[in-house]
Amino acid sequence: MNASHTNSLRITVLGPVRAWRGEQELALGSPQQRAVLTALLLRRGRPTTVGELVDALWGERPPSGAVTVLRTYVSRLRKVLEPRRKAGEAPQVIVSAADGYLVRLPEDCLDLGVFERRVAEAKKLRTGGDLAAAAELLHSALELWDGKPLAGLPGPLAEAERYRLDEQWLSAVETGTDVDLELGRHEEVAAQLSSLTCEHPLRERPCELLMLALYRCGRQAEALAAYRKLRDALVAELSVEPGPALLDLHARILAADPTLRAPVPPPQAASPAPSVSAPPSAAAARPAQLPADLPVFTGRDSELAQTNALLPAEGKRPTAVVISAIGGMAGVGKTTLAVHWAHEIAHRFPDGQLYVNLRGFDQTGSAMPADEAVHTFLDALGVPPSQMPGRPDTRAALYRSLLADRRVLLLLDNARDTEQVRPLLPSGPGCLAIITSRNQLTGLIASDGAHPLTLNPLPLAEARDFLARRIGAGRMAAEPTAADEIIARCARLPLALAIVAARAATHPSFPLHAVADELRASHGSLDAFTGGDISTDVRAVFSWSYHALSASAARLFQLLAAHPGPDIAAPAAAALAGLPLRETRGLLGELTHAHLLTEHFPGRYTFHDLLRIYAAERVGCEEAATDRGQAFERVLTWYLHTADAASRFITPERPRAPLLPLPSDCRPLTFTTYDEALEWCSTERANLVAAINQAAATDGMSALAWRLTAALWGFFYLRSHRNDWLASNRVSLAAARSAGDRRGEAECLTGLANALSVNGSLGEAIDHYQQALPVFRELGDEKGASRIIGNLGDVHLRAGRIEEAIEYLEETLETDRAIGHGWGVGICLNNLGEAYLRLGRLDEARAYLEEALEVLRATDNRWVEGITLDFLGTVYHRLRRHDDAVQQYHLALQAHREVGNRWAEAHSISHLAETRLAVGERDAARTGWGQALQLLEEFNHPDAEEIRDKLRGLDDAVPGAPPDEPSSAAGASTASPRDPGGRAGRR
């Protein structure tokens, strides 16, 4: 077979294994036959033994006659690859070699060889500095790939080689992307890298390249999010942190490292730069355009320290242009701070100070074009009208040239966005650009190395100084309470404080409490914050930011005022607006960038108090009442369904109220673990309580109020939020009664009685249970009535009325057994065990408790199982079977910790400590009580004082005293023995 015929062969392995002779594709046969050819090709001209080929195809379990089958495959391949070979002529492609075969083909005949050669040549070009040629060659190499390498081939060798080839492809993609980034092609590669990181979520190099590409695109937040996503995956899957390269890039992005900026492409030779020589009259001009500093400026010491740290030491020239971007909400004092700082450091810029109001958020709505600002600056720099360039790009070039060797301070006030500011930035070292904006200039921070400083409302101490400088320290000292109320009503916003201070200063005879009364009377309105002109009218100043929003963002801004809680998460905001989560996140980002909303924690947003009032005013003017009501109902229903989903993990199998229908445009959260559910409830607690209160106060929403309260029963109880539990049930009960909702009334009476019982108000608890019982019977709810009777038994047990408790509990036990309510049976048996334990009838107590364990485990009631185990520990302690007691307490602790019942955990630790003390292990007892005290102090639980008494009296404790017998350490009462914490009462 001649060489030209061999060279006409073309074989691919970077995808399906295929072969062509010229333009004609060859039939390579079955997948096993193709696998034989591939095994030989991948040896790259080196021989492969028959044994190695057998292993490559079939691994450790080859079929009988494997060698014969293999030789048949080789024979068929020779006929396909060399159809013109005559009988008796030696093969030229698949050649026999010792005990095996090898393939003789030029490297160019195999796509893998071509790929490897192009990658190697591209690396040489890159090393030599020819990045464009290297990128082109790498892209052509990657174009050879046609999906998964060795697609469809069986056998262990194919699997191993597929992994190796995938690594080669990934490495080439990473190298090619890196070169593209060096060429400034970050926009083009960002999407490809996003896909690559999704396909390889644990690979660090693609993430590193993606972060750099996103950063250079001005998408700093997304770059940091990509890092967090990879880090979370590495920690979760491998328990490792990212490597040094990724950590370093993350730190540099956070620091806005200017060396991360995209490379500047080389200038076009065909487009000569315009002449930008400075006119003679411009050389001597020294502008001084700063507005006057505020005579009564005070505070902002921390912020001034941050800005001063941007500059080199006094007397030293900056080695690069310094850019400070001062942001914050309207009225927070951005311009005041910028002007004050500029005056403080003006002497360090001997070539002058330039100022312009860019009108980014002006009442006229017309932002100043960048070219107009350049023209203004050229005038200030002394360029005569006759020598002013006619073209905007030529004017910009002249502007940069004039600043190139000067030390000039620029104050660019009230900027709208990065695009407005960027043409005004000086290019040479020695200059400082101070920029103020209500928007977050993320593009400027990411691409131009600007140093961000976000102003917040004044701290209380600085707000007091602010007011004292304007109305006098004497008036402040005379009425400190009124002064603090004024500050609170102004929400520490400098503009609001300045307006109120001006009113007080112009009426020195007005007492401060009268001013405070006036603010209190206008609560919920901005009428009290109207200054003498539009620039000092809080409502007008806010409106300039508001009117710059998109229509969708403005609608969300209005609806957020209807949310009852102190902050809101993105999924809840989506429910409020009736929009998809992804769209809502974008709108929240728009509001945050405009400083109309604050992202105080990732994914959680809050209003400044005065902005909330402004949003409420806008919704009253622009949003129909029906839309507001529907939005409020949507978010409350979302909270209800999400709380119910959480309760199924916190208190599984517990009776729960039927839910109200979910609007079609709501997507409640789901949970996969107990910890997730509990964390959500803890995070949203203030919002959930506020939602209950507002629903209870809103006509037609009482059903939402009591259902949400019922769904939070387990959370309130486990985390000992007693005040929330009591208050939520009280307002929900009042609302249910007002609406004539008997089911709601019964559930709220039960919930309120439960909370009162846990809080120690046993008489009130009994009264509410007795009110609930006839309502359940009226509703025909036999199970609900049985639940109330069982709870009456529990509360009588707590009150020390043991015989009455047993009567109630036995009645409930009989009913629950009759109706097949296993959950209730287990609880009743536990409570009867406790009752007989209190009576000192230990054998009966143990019998009930052991039977309770069987039922509780059958019904998966892990919560009450922990309590039962604790009671069994007490039984064994009294029987002086201390080893058995210790074992039961440890089992109880395990159950408590699984369900998160930290209150019960504290009590079981305390009981275990008593048993340790009983056997003389005083140090172990002290350690245990210390742990129990720490847990109880987390919830400010009243039982903490009892533990402190135990610790104080430990040295005088009587060894061997049972936990419920009086001793100087335990101080327990036989009439009211210990509560295991986390009662087994039902609901």
Side-chain angles (χ1 to χ4, degrees):
M1 187 174 184
N2 59 37
S4 62
H5 193 72
T6 303
N7 289 342
S8 69
L9 274 176
R10 183 164 49 90
I11 304 177
T12 64
V13 295
L14 303 179
V17 176
R18 304 168 69 186
W20 290 262
R21 182 179 296 105
E23 297 298 319
Q24 181 182 1
E25 184 170 1
L26 306 179
L28 293 178
S30 68
Q32 288 82 2
Q33 190 166 298
R34 293 169 188 258
V36 172
L37 175 61
T38 302
L40 295 170
L41 287 168
L42 295 179
R43 294 285 288 181
R44 314 298 282 279
R46 290 175 287 121
T48 307
T49 67
V50 170
E52 288 172 334
L53 287 171
V54 170
D55 290 340
L57 260 67
W58 295 290
E60 297 178 357
R61 295 185 176 182
S64 59
V67 174
T68 302
V69 174
L70 176 66
R71 294 192 188 280
T72 301
Y73 289 155
V74 172
S75 176
R76 291 173 181 172
L77 287 167
R78 282 171 168 170
K79 290 178 182 179
V80 172
L81 297 174
E82 300 175 72
R84 300 178 185 176
R85 184 171 58 87
K86 297 177 182 179
E89 186 177 339
Q92 298 295 311
V93 179
I94 301 180
V95 180
S96 297
D99 181 29
Y101 308 91
L102 63 83
V103 168
R104 287 178 178 167
L105 277 177
E107 282 292 312
D108 284 351
C109 292
L110 181 65
D111 60 349
L112 177 59
V114 177
F115 168 80
E116 290 175 340
R117 190 186 72 247
R118 289 180 183 177
V119 170
E121 290 175 2
K123 290 179 178 178
K124 290 180 182 178
L125 288 169
R126 183 186 187 187
T127 303
D130 193 350
L131 296 178
E136 183 177 357
L137 204 53
L138 282 165
H139 287 304
S140 71
L142 290 167
E143 287 173 359
L144 295 170
W145 290 70
D146 184 24
K148 200 74 173 171
L150 313 182
L153 289 195
L157 177 69
E159 189 62 33
E161 288 294 331
R162 197 175 288 120
Y163 177 82
R164 181 180 68 84
L165 293 172
D166 276 339
E167 281 296 306
Q168 283 188 258
W169 177 82
L170 271 172
S171 177
V173 170
E174 290 167 353
T175 302
T177 308
D178 200 7
V179 174
D180 284 337
L181 286 171
E182 290 183 61
L183 289 167
R185 299 171 181 170
H186 39 274
E187 296 280 357
E188 294 90 333
V189 301
Q192 177 192 3
L193 285 167
S194 294
S195 175
L196 193 65
T197 55
C198 290
E199 295 169 6
H200 303 275
L202 299 178
R203 194 175 178 94
E204 295 192 24
R205 183 57 175 159
C207 180
E208 183 182 347
L209 295 168
L210 174 62
M211 290 169 63
L212 184 58
L214 291 171
Y215 182 84
R216 288 180 175 177
C217 292
R219 296 156 64 183
Q220 179 187 19
E222 293 176 65
L224 296 173
Y227 171 84
R228 288 195 299 272
K229 182 178 179 182
L230 174 70
R231 181 189 176 276
D232 290 346
L234 289 172
V235 171
E237 296 290 331
L238 306 176
S239 298
V240 298
E241 293 286 341
L246 208 59
L247 289 171
D248 178 65
L249 178 60
H250 179 248
R252 291 168 68 195
I253 288 175
L254 288 173
D257 187 344
T259 63
L260 294 178
R261 297 181 194 173
V264 179
Q268 299 286 339
S271 303
S275 173
V276 292
S277 55
S281 57
R286 184 184 179 279
Q289 296 185 327
L290 292 179
D293 193 10
L294 190 65
V296 290
F297 182 90
T298 185
R300 298 296 189 192
D301 296 334
S302 173
E303 290 85 352
L304 286 169
Q306 291 180 58
T307 54
N308 284 322
L310 301 178
L311 301 177
E314 190 79 34
K316 292 188 177 180
R317 182 187 181 95
T319 57
V321 63
V322 179
I323 307 169
S324 175
I326 301 175
M329 64 178 288
V332 81
K334 300 178 293 295
T335 298
T336 301
L337 174 67
V339 169
H340 180 77
W341 181 41
H343 277 283
E344 279 192 341
I345 59 175
H347 65 281
R348 302 184 63 175
F349 298 90
D351 296 320
Q353 304 90 43
L354 294 170
Y355 171 85
V356 65
N357 178 2
L358 293 172
R359 304 194 305 269
F361 297 90
D362 191 69
Q363 64 266 30
T364 64
S366 57
M368 177 183 287
D371 180 58
E372 181 182 334
V374 168
H375 198 294
T376 301
F377 284 161
L378 289 176
D379 282 339
L381 291 168
V383 177
S386 60
Q387 297 182 31
M388 187 73 69
R391 290 169 46 193
D393 59 337
T394 310
R395 283 196 293 272
L398 175 59
Y399 166 69
R400 290 192 295 272
S401 297
L402 290 175
L403 295 184
D405 298 318
R406 298 191 184 188
R407 296 174 64 183
V408 175
L409 184 155
L410 293 90
L411 177 46
L412 310 177
D413 192 22
N414 198 14
R416 189 176 189 87
D417 51 38
T418 297
E419 287 66 28
Q420 187 188 26
V421 168
R422 188 169 280 137
L424 306 178
L425 297 177
S427 57
C431 292
L432 165 67
I434 305 173
I435 305 156
T436 72
S437 178
R438 299 185 191 181
N439 277 340
Q440 293 177 348
L441 303 178
T442 51
L444 207 64
I445 296 163
S447 301
D448 298 273
H451 300 272
L453 173 64
T454 299
L455 295 189
N456 295 310
L458 294 167
L460 178 58
E462 291 189 4
R464 286 170 174 160
D465 291 342
F466 184 101
L467 204 55
R469 289 289 299 271
R470 287 159 173 78
I471 67 174
R475 291 178 77 180
M476 292 278 291
E479 297 184 82
T481 303
D484 281 353
E485 183 176 357
I486 290 171
I487 291 168
R489 297 285 176 187
C490 294
R492 296 179 284 112
L493 187 70
L495 176 59
L497 283 168
I499 293 169
V500 175
R503 176 165 172 75
T506 55
H507 298 85
S509 62
F510 284 9
L512 290 187
H513 71 261
V515 178
D517 291 344
E518 186 178 40
L519 291 176
R520 194 182 312 115
S522 66
H523 183 62
S525 165
L526 298 178
D527 291 344
F529 304 109
T530 302
D533 60 71
I534 196 167
S535 65
T536 57
D537 184 321
V538 168
R539 185 182 287 113
V541 171
F542 286 168
S543 73
W544 303 334
S545 293
Y546 172 75
H547 289 303
L549 297 172
S550 67
S552 296
R555 174 179 176 268
L556 179 59
F557 177 74
Q558 297 166 21
L559 292 180
L560 286 170
H563 183 257
D567 72 346
I568 190 168
L576 182 77
L579 295 173
L581 179 58
R582 183 173 183 178
E583 182 179 350
T584 304
R585 289 190 193 277
L587 298 177
L588 290 168
E590 183 178 346
L591 293 173
T592 303
H593 285 301
H595 287 289
L596 290 170
L597 206 61
T598 300
E599 188 175 13
H600 68 96
F601 188 81
R604 300 196 68 83
Y605 303 84
T606 187
F607 272 126
H608 181 273
D609 290 349
L610 297 185
L611 279 170
R612 180 184 287 275
I613 294 172
Y614 178 73
E617 289 185 352
R618 298 318 310 158
V619 75
C621 296
E622 300 178 23
E623 194 77 10
T626 54
D627 292 337
R628 295 198 305 272
Q630 289 170 358
F632 179 52
E633 186 172 358
R634 270 196 309 270
V635 75
L636 255 64
T637 307
W638 181 88
Y639 276 130
L640 171 62
H641 280 256
T642 304
D644 181 74
S647 75
R648 295 176 188 275
F649 283 90
I650 296 172
T651 52
E653 304 298 330
R654 196 169 193 85
R656 44 186 36 87
L659 298 176
L660 297 176
L662 186 70
S664 59
D665 46 8
C666 273
R667 297 290 182 272
L669 300 181
T670 57
F671 305 97
T672 57
T673 67
Y674 170 89
D675 289 338
E676 278 183 7
L678 199 61
E679 181 181 1
W680 181 83
C681 289
S682 297
T683 303
E684 296 290 348
R685 174 187 156 207
N687 289 323
L688 293 166
V689 172
I692 290 168
N693 287 326
Q694 190 160 333
T698 304
D699 289 341
M701 291 196 181
S702 63
L704 275 167
W706 72 257
R707 282 175 167 85
L708 185 52
T709 299
L712 294 171
W713 184 98
F715 168 68
F716 286 148
Y717 175 74
L718 275 177
R719 283 296 180 252
S720 199
H721 296 306
R722 302 180 179 192
N723 291 335
D724 290 342
W725 194 5
L726 287 166
S728 297
N729 274 289
R730 283 192 170 114
V731 297
S732 297
L733 175 60
R737 281 175 166 166
S738 177
D741 183 345
R742 295 290 275 170
R743 169 62 64 180
E745 181 180 355
E747 296 294 344
C748 291
L749 283 167
T750 305
L752 183 53
N754 289 338
L756 289 165
S757 175
V758 170
N759 215 37
S761 302
L762 303 183
E764 287 185 80
I766 290 172
D767 177 60
H768 284 80
Y769 282 137
Q770 289 174 339
Q771 291 181 52
L773 185 57
V775 183
F776 277 114
R777 286 174 172 161
E778 174 191 323
L779 295 168
D781 188 345
E782 188 176 3
K783 188 180 291 187
S786 175
R787 178 160 41 110
I788 295 300
I789 295 170
N791 284 348
L792 280 167
D794 177 70
V795 75
H796 279 85
L797 189 61
R798 297 196 61 193
R801 293 151 66 175
I802 312 299
E803 298 296 343
E804 292 177 74
I806 290 175
E807 289 181 16
Y808 280 117
L809 293 170
E810 286 179 342
E811 180 182 350
T812 304
L813 180 60
E814 182 179 352
T815 302
D816 283 347
R817 279 180 165 155
I819 64 176
H821 185 209
W823 181 274
V825 170
I827 295 173
C828 276
L829 289 168
N830 171 86
N831 291 349
L832 283 165
E834 180 186 1
Y836 284 105
L837 171 62
R838 288 172 176 261
L839 292 173
R841 293 156 64 174
L842 301 183
D843 290 338
E844 291 169 274
R846 186 174 65 175
Y848 274 115
L849 293 169
E850 288 175 348
E851 185 181 356
L853 279 180
E854 293 179 11
V855 177
L856 293 167
R857 286 166 178 166
T859 56
D860 197 26
N861 191 341
R862 191 74 166 134
W863 186 343
V864 180
E865 180 186 345
I867 297 168
T868 304
L869 289 164
D870 185 277
F871 283 137
L872 270 175
T874 301
V875 170
Y876 287 126
H877 181 104
R878 290 196 185 181
L879 293 170
R880 302 297 191 267
R881 292 169 56 178
H882 296 118
D883 289 342
D884 290 332
V886 168
Q887 181 184 15
Q888 297 302 316
Y889 289 140
H890 280 300
L891 290 172
L893 286 171
Q894 183 179 347
H896 296 327
R897 287 163 180 162
E898 282 182 19
V899 300
N901 193 346
R902 293 172 70 78
W903 178 13
E905 180 185 350
H907 284 83
S908 289
I909 291 173
S910 175
H911 303 160
L912 178 60
E914 291 172 0
T915 301
R916 297 294 191 195
L917 180 62
V919 296
E921 298 177 9
R922 293 173 179 272
D923 290 341
R926 179 179 284 106
T927 300
W929 279 324
Q931 294 170 349
L933 179 62
Q934 184 177 358
L935 284 170
L936 291 171
E937 285 179 338
E938 286 183 18
F939 310 114
N940 196 27
H941 197 284
D943 288 355
E945 188 56 39
E946 180 183 343
I947 303 297
R948 293 188 192 98
D949 289 340
K950 293 177 187 291
L951 287 167
R952 284 191 289 264
L954 184 60
D955 292 336
D956 300 324
V958 179
D964 61 329
E965 293 176 1
S967 78
S968 58
S973 166
T974 54
S976 180
R978 341 169 274 183
D979 185 342
R983 305 286 307 170
R986 298 130 95 78
R987 185 179 147 83

